[in-house]
């Protein structure tokens, strides 16, 4: 094996580029999703989930605070579960999760698709899918 | 410039990455699984009707729930470990121990969840 000089640069010369920012975004969005899910679960417990929902339903609400997720439980009134606060929280979780997930798919695709043409196609497809899934998700959250 | 690996699939499969490699593989499977699930779920909710009902039937099945909960829980716990170690690089020294802590959290939580899912699904 031929010896090659290491291609990594010291931190001070690396600067910021899009891939580095997405690397950071992946970590920070993970923390943001933890915070949003915790917020939704605490909110559910305050709104009476402790006596009206089982653990699976609380988690379903936690992973996406959308009122359709509590329809089949013993909650007497859906109104407190479909306030603008929860729609905004759900929208934030949706946008962060779609961006995090789609970037993850691009990272996986880059391991197998190595031509620059192929990688460009993957990126264009990923942008289209981020927009499409965000739009569909927002439509569901704000019309349900 | 394209990448050439010079490693065959057979050699790749014989690679012994041990614990860290296992978490990497499971993190990837979990991420893919969740991406497919969330995409299906958004599509089903958006489309509704027969297609939506069919997709709903698939992910309300207990076997699919066990799979998706594995994906979500492992990806969440492993992702938290990666985030903590990456944001505090001094902790990298303890990465092996971090993986053991991760399993110590994952196995009981996942075990209880599988027990609850199965006893609800099969016990009625």
């Amino acid at each position: 094996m031929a010896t090659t000089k290491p291609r990594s640069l010291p931190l001070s010369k690396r600067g910021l580029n899009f891939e580095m920012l997405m690397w950071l975004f992946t970590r920070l969005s993970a923390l943001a999703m933890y915070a949003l899910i915790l917020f939704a679960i605490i909110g559910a417990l305050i709104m009476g989930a402790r006596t009206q929902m089982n653990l699976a339903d609380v988690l379903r609400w936690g992973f996406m605070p959308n009122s359709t997720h509590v329809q089949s439980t013993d909650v007497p009134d859906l109104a407190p579960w479909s306030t603008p606060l929860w729609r905004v929280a759900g929208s934030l979780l949706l946008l962060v999760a779609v961006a995090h997930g789609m970037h993850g798919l691009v990272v996986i695709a880059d391991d197998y698709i190595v031509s620059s043409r192929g990688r460009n196609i993957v990126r264009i497809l990923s942008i289209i899918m981020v927009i499409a899934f965000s739009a569909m998700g927002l439509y569901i959250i704000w019309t349900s | 410039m394209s990448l050439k690996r010079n490693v065959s699939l057979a050699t790749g499969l014989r690679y012994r990455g041990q614990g860290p490699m296992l978490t990497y593989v499971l993190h990837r499977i979990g991420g893919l699984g969740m991406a497919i699930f969330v995409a299906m779920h958004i599509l089903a909710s958006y489309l509704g009707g027969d297609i939506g009902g069919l997709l709903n039937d698939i992910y309300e099945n207990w076997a699919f729930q066990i799979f998706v909960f594995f994906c979500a829980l492992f990806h969440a716990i492993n992702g938290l470990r990666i985030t903590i170690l990456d944001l505090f690089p001094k902790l990298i020294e303890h990465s092996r121990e971090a993986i053991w802590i991760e399993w110590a959290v994952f196995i009981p939580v996942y075990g209880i969840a599988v027990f609850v899912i199965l006893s609800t699904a099969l016990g009625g």
Side-chain angles (χ1 to χ4, degrees):
Chain A
M1 198 212 278
T3 53
T4 50
K5 279 176 72 176
R7 274 185 289 179
S8 59
L9 289 169
L11 201 60
S12 57
K13 287 186 185 165
R14 247 178 261 171
L16 291 177
N17 59 42
F18 180 71
E19 295 301 331
M20 192 273 169
L21 288 176
M22 285 311 287
W23 178 89
L24 190 60
F25 170 79
T26 305
R27 272 88 190 143
L28 296 182
S29 60
L31 293 179
M33 281 188 279
Y34 262 99
L36 283 166
I37 290 170
L38 202 61
F39 176 66
I41 290 176
I42 292 171
L45 293 174
I46 290 172
M47 290 189 293
R50 203 165 63 83
T51 52
Q52 292 152 347
M53 283 154 83
N54 61 35
L55 181 65
D57 290 326
V58 174
L59 287 182
R60 189 151 60 130
W61 166 264
F63 285 125
M64 178 43 75
N66 190 23
S67 61
T68 52
H69 278 170
V70 287
Q71 254 168 12
S72 58
T73 64
D74 297 335
V75 168
D77 180 17
L78 279 182
W81 303 79
S82 47
T83 56
L85 171 75
W86 289 121
R87 290 186 202 271
V88 169
S91 305
L92 280 175
L93 187 56
L94 171 85
L95 295 176
V96 168
V98 167
H100 179 107
M102 194 54 69
H103 179 252
L105 291 181
V106 171
V107 169
I108 295 176
D110 275 0
D111 277 358
Y112 303 99
I113 299 169
V114 292
S115 70
S116 58
R117 183 184 152 79
R119 287 186 169 177
N120 281 336
I121 294 171
V122 165
R123 274 154 181 76
I124 291 167
L125 279 179
S126 78
I127 291 168
I128 294 170
M129 282 172 77
V130 165
I131 294 169
F133 280 106
S134 301
M136 281 189 282
L138 288 175
Y139 175 82
I140 297 162
I141 290 173
W142 289 90
T143 57
S144 63
Chain B
M1 190 181 77
S2 82
L3 195 67
K4 188 82 178 78
R5 284 195 182 77
N6 297 321
V7 172
S8 69
L9 180 64
T11 318
L13 289 177
R14 264 187 280 119
Y15 175 67
R16 294 178 196 277
Q18 298 179 333
M21 176 72 175
L22 182 64
T23 61
Y24 159 82
V25 170
L26 292 178
H27 196 75
R28 190 156 275 204
I29 293 172
L32 267 179
M34 268 196 293
I36 293 167
F37 166 69
V38 171
M40 269 170 54
H41 192 34
I42 292 178
L43 274 177
S45 309
Y46 184 73
L47 296 173
D50 284 348
I51 305 169
L54 177 71
L55 291 174
N56 265 323
D57 287 344
I58 293 174
Y59 59 65
E60 278 173 8
N61 185 281
W62 59 267
F64 192 81
Q65 285 184 346
I66 287 176
F67 172 69
V68 161
F69 193 64
F70 177 88
C71 293
L73 190 68
F74 188 85
H75 200 86
I77 293 175
N78 193 51
L80 189 61
R81 173 186 67 88
I82 294 172
T83 303
I84 291 171
L85 292 187
D86 278 354
L87 296 183
F88 302 95
K90 279 186 181 164
L91 295 176
I92 293 278
E93 274 184 60
H94 307 293
S95 59
R96 295 263 169 178
E97 289 81 355
I99 290 173
W100 284 115
I101 296 172
E102 183 187 328
W103 285 114
V105 176
F106 176 81
I107 292 172
V109 175
Y110 185 63
I112 292 169
V114 168
F115 176 76
V116 171
I117 292 171
L118 282 181
S119 59
T120 315
L122 306 179

